[in-house]
Amino acid sequence: MKKTLGTMALLGAFGAVTGAHAQSSVTIYGTLDAGIAKISGTTAQITKRDNNKLGFRGVEDLGNGLKALFQLEVRFEPDTGTVEAGSRPLFQGQSRVGLQGGFGTIRLGRGLTAYQEASVAFEPWNGLPTVSPSSTGGSIGPGFQPDLHVAGYTSDPLGPAGNSRNRFSNAVFYNSPLFNGFQVNLTVGAKEANGNAALIGRGTALAPQYPANSVPSAAPYSLSATYNNGRFGALAAYERNAVETDVWAVAASYKPTADLKLMASYQKQDQSHTMAANAETKAWVLGANYTVGAGKVLLGYGQKTPDAMPHTKQASVGYEHSLSPRTYVYADLSNRKSPPVANQTILRSYTFYGVGVHHNF
Amino acid sequence: MKKTLGTMALLGAFGAVTGAHAQSSVTIYGTLDAGIAKISGTTAQITKRDNNKLGFRGVEDLGNGLKALFQLEVRFEPDTGTVEAGSRPLFQGQSRVGLQGGFGTIRLGRGLTAYQEASVAFEPWNGLPTVSPSSTGGSIGPGFQPDLHVAGYTSDPLGPAGNSRNRFSNAVFYNSPLFNGFQVNLTVGAKEANGNAALIGRGTALAPQYPANSVPSAAPYSLSATYNNGRFGALAAYERNAVETDVWAVAASYKPTADLKLMASYQKQDQSHTMAANAETKAWVLGANYTVGAGKVLLGYGQKTPDAMPHTKQASVGYEHSLSPRTYVYADLSNRKSPPVANQTILRSYTFYGVGVHHNF
Amino acid sequence: MKKTLGTMALLGAFGAVTGAHAQSSVTIYGTLDAGIAKISGTTAQITKRDNNKLGFRGVEDLGNGLKALFQLEVRFEPDTGTVEAGSRPLFQGQSRVGLQGGFGTIRLGRGLTAYQEASVAFEPWNGLPTVSPSSTGGSIGPGFQPDLHVAGYTSDPLGPAGNSRNRFSNAVFYNSPLFNGFQVNLTVGAKEANGNAALIGRGTALAPQYPANSVPSAAPYSLSATYNNGRFGALAAYERNAVETDVWAVAASYKPTADLKLMASYQKQDQSHTMAANAETKAWVLGANYTVGAGKVLLGYGQKTPDAMPHTKQASVGYEHSLSPRTYVYADLSNRKSPPVANQTILRSYTFYGVGVHHNF
């Protein structure tokens, strides 16, 4: 069925809804995570720890080892029922379609970049949000991912206001097959304008380096190489975004026993294409996950060191208690010393407390 | 599966979409209700009588009598295909996750308050919209719920523009177990700003009592106690919202025979925290539902009496004819005498006629 | 279950989610189509060829030949994950509910008009988008449908900004049964305002013929009659929109062999209600589809001739290669000579190249 059938086929089309194309080809999945959290000096909020999702995906076997894949993922705020951050795309999580075969997987659309997707395996909260003093409830949590763990880098500086920081729209995504634990992943974005606000950069307010709704000055791309033999994992990754800021990272994980996973990463961002001074940021994060019965202890510590600016430091401890393979409750405690938005030359200390429930379906 | 797996697991993750976490854990449900309605003095419109929904929900048995629950409910306008009222949250109906056990049910997120959820059982149209002279087609109907049946009260005065009037965002929801027909329900909201427009209240235009994006001046909460033995039902409920307006209600229902349900309610709102004068509104609603074969007759009459203002009066009669347990057609006639927005000192009479189809899936 | 049950029924309601109303009554379906395309003089983009959809639909057998039907269809942009064109209704595709029986099918809500729905069977790309020099990536493709194939006509001139051009909101949709291959279809819209921007028409900027948020000056309606005996198909259709522009079309298709379908159409638009001069537009489109093994060749040529304006001309050739009944890859080449928006008195030539993948689920 290639398209909405003409009216003449209408009766027939409705009669066929239980037919061969129906239902069985779509899997619905998702995550609901909600809790109560408080940052020192602010009121307790209903918030989330993980990203909340409602997704639709499917795989079609085309024969000869070839498969067609699609995935659409709504992201939302559980406390208000809006799409994520109130204005993000409906399918903020991803919207991709592609083919998989002996050559690997190739997909088109929007999703996490090769760098961002591969790096979460080396972050002790597995990519959950950073502690933020924001009073919006949008994104507060004990994790290191959207900030320290990528050295403050954003993958989408020319996205519309409120966009997420780790995805490419208008992109081609390639993942190689696994070769003895090795995999290579590449994401390339098109030079399409996407409704950004003006970005002053090395320009002026009247003549910004990237005016509103700019086309990227170079095609953004992202490259990661990963290795995993079950016990030892490693990552090398490089990405350059639409305003020619780049970032690279190396990371490793090691499991001395099946219950314990140790992680370390180092990353460096270079914003010299848009910043005349203090354009480099380095960061490192250390972490551990320790499983004990139905419990899991998470530990992490990291620093971010922008040129000639105060060093952000964050330490987090968390505990997850599984009620089933799909559901757990959690508690976290985190301290972060970072410069407030209003004054980037000083450090302020935020302490975060949170408890909640995480449910996959 | 705790989070988007790293890239290395990608091939495996796609291979597993028919696995244990899939599909079976999600129920899709919903309601489509559309009809043709006319209010005297206006043009006929394509409209709705009930709220239109598309929902996703699931229950996971955790063992030992414990369950995990989630529910996400899109609400939309059937005549234009937009989300409800054009700008409400994607999951306007609800977005909640929680646990259920011997202690009752506890959930976090957004949903109907304890007061609003319990009160619909005592309203003859079971919570369907009030007749409104609005020309938007948004919410016109024969019911008493969002206005008379709650004495004009709104649960969410600091929500964003266009919000619904009977829900809390950023809240904890508790329902006790049933004890011999008795149940207690409590909803408590966090003191979080949620993007409200300025509310002048007892302030001035320059210094509104609640400026834009205010935090609640007190944590909003809602409490209801219900009893139902099949034949007799009763409700006592109290709620205080984010601007310290409160409302209480008592209601009862009685079934002299299995076919007939009689209902009565009394409710009183006090807005003295934000109004210097005429701050009280009382309302009562009487109703009956009579089932005869595949048909059901609905009758209702109510009054709302704001201090020193004209008394709104509404009388409605409706008929529903079941085509199946999931589908019925309906016809309604209603008359409402209420002050128009432009002049709150007079009464105007609106007569409403409507027919349509209601389909659950 | 007529409505959200009162709180007392909450435990019961959650217990029943695997019950009779669940899941089996809803079919999830959709299309993901993404590719890489380029228009001469612009940068290559990630784009789509077909409309992308995620839909929910169901049929309930009511007995005695009567059925209840519903359909909700999300439309989205695969390259950015937003709803279609960034601001269209969530259920842009359609939101309709109705009944089907010996009398035909009657539905209420939003959807393609009788004219637009019937005409795609006579367009060689089966209704896929026209080539457009837009840099938004929104709607570029080799097809003739939203422009030449309807003589530039729009079904919804009083829709909100960014609306689609081939649907009615607030409408009743009737399709007759098939009588020996004949079918009659009628769509009638209500006279409801729907948030349009001002339309100057025969007025002035200060006194536009249709001010913002106008009610239609006459009820819009659409009528089509179709015939199909498998080998020969024919269409006659007429539609008048909310600003009293009308269009009519005749079209025919013929299959000399099972592999070859030939198509021709002629259509004429009259905008004299809102244009003082040059109010008529005529257009014709010729096309062929030729199936050869897993391949399908598409050919089309058409012209659009507005009064006293340059004639738009478009020629397209395409190829689809099926990987399965649900998935194909495609390549298209198209040339279009049309006046640019900035200067309607000249013609400019655009050449379009595109490849991609199309997957139904």
Side-chain angles (χ1 to χ4, degrees), chain B residues 300-344:
Chain B
Y301 181 79
Q303 291 197 0
K304 186 176 74 168
T305 63
D307 280 350
M309 303 275 274
H311 294 190
T312 295
K313 293 169 192 179
Q314 186 178 333
S316 298
V317 53
Y319 178 71
E320 299 173 1
H321 189 84
S322 289
L323 302 176
S324 83
R326 295 206 277 128
T327 304
Y328 61 85
V329 289
Y330 56 81
D332 290 305
L333 175 63
S334 183
N335 180 268
R336 181 180 163 100
K337 292 179 181 60
S338 61
V341 171
N343 183 347
Q344 298 278 309

Side-chain angles (χ1 to χ4, degrees), chain C residues 261-325:
Chain C
K261 181 182 178 186
L262 305 173
M263 290 156 264
S265 64
Y266 179 86
Q267 30 274 326
K268 186 171 167 189
Q269 179 186 206
D270 178 357
Q271 300 182 82
S272 55
H273 189 76
T274 55
M275 288 174 74
N278 301 333
E280 284 199 347
T281 307
K282 304 171 194 87
W284 53 268
V285 176
L286 299 176
N289 289 172
Y290 181 60
T291 305
V292 45
K296 186 174 171 184
V297 177
L298 303 93
L299 296 169
Y301 181 78
Q303 291 196 0
K304 186 176 74 168
T305 63
D307 280 350
M309 304 274 274
H311 294 190
T312 296
K313 293 169 191 179
Q314 186 177 333
S316 298
V317 53
Y319 178 71
E320 299 172 0
H321 188 84
S322 289
L323 301 175
S324 83

Side-chain angles (χ1 to χ4, degrees), chain A residues 109 113-115 153-159 167-173 186-194 210 214-223 238-246, chain C residues 43-44 46:
Chain A
T113 68
Y115 166 66
Y153 173 81
T154 172
S155 292
D156 190 16
L158 297 184
R167 283 167 169 80
F168 282 178
S169 284
N170 305 306
V172 181
F173 301 83
L186 174 65
T187 311
V188 181
K191 290 177 70 175
E192 292 187 51
N194 206 12
Y210 292 90
S214 287
V215 164
S217 54
Y221 70 95
S222 182
L223 188 63
Y238 175 81
E239 183 172 313
R240 188 188 67 187
N241 68 21
V243 298
E244 299 180 54
T245 291
D246 65 13
Chain C
T43 309
I46 302 298

Side-chain angles (χ1 to χ4, degrees), chain A residues 319-341:
Chain A
Y319 178 71
E320 299 173 0
H321 188 86
S322 289
L323 302 176
S324 83
R326 296 206 278 128
T327 305
Y328 60 86
V329 290
Y330 57 81
D332 290 306
L333 174 63
S334 183
N335 180 268
R336 181 180 162 101
K337 292 180 181 60
S338 62
V341 171

Side-chain angles (χ1 to χ4, degrees), chain A residues 23 26-28 32 34-36 43-46 50-51 54 56-57 59 69 71 74 76-83 90 100 105 107 112 117-118 120 126-128 175 178 183 185 226-228 296 320 323-324 326-328 357-361, chain B residues 1-11 13-18 21-23 25-26 28 56 58-62 66 68-72 89-92 95-99 108-110 168-172 188 190-194 215:
Chain A
Q23 200 68 352
V26 184
T27 298
I28 302 175
L32 260 150
I36 303 175
T43 309
Q45 300 191 348
I46 303 297
D50 196 359
N51 304 306
L54 171 66
F56 304 86
R57 68 181 173 201
V59 180
L69 314 168
Q71 194 159 359
V74 176
F76 60 92
E77 304 296 350
D79 52 353
T80 58
T82 62
V83 295
L90 178 64
Q100 186 174 80
T105 304
R107 288 175 291 173
L112 286 171
E117 190 168 44
V120 296
N126 204 8
L128 301 194
N175 306 101
L178 278 168
Q183 191 176 32
N185 313 287
T226 56
Y227 174 73
N228 193 314
K296 185 174 171 183
E320 299 173 0
L323 302 176
S324 83
R326 296 206 278 128
T327 305
Y328 60 86
V357 59
H358 184 283
H359 176 65
N360 284 323
F361 56 90
Chain B
M1 199 166 57
K2 269 198 49 196
K3 180 91 210 324
T4 303
L5 296 164
T7 310
M8 285 177 289
L10 198 70
L11 301 176
F14 271 112
V17 289
T18 53
H21 293 179
Q23 200 68 352
S25 58
V26 184
I28 302 176
F56 304 86
V59 180
E60 184 195 14
D61 195 330
L62 302 170
L66 197 64
L69 313 168
F70 81 91
Q71 193 159 0
L72 294 170
L90 178 63
F91 298 116
Q92 156 66 13
S95 63
R96 290 191 285 199
V97 60
L99 297 171
L108 285 87
R110 170 182 173 81
F168 281 178
S169 284
N170 306 305
V172 181
V188 180
K191 290 178 71 174
E192 292 187 52
N194 205 12
V215 163

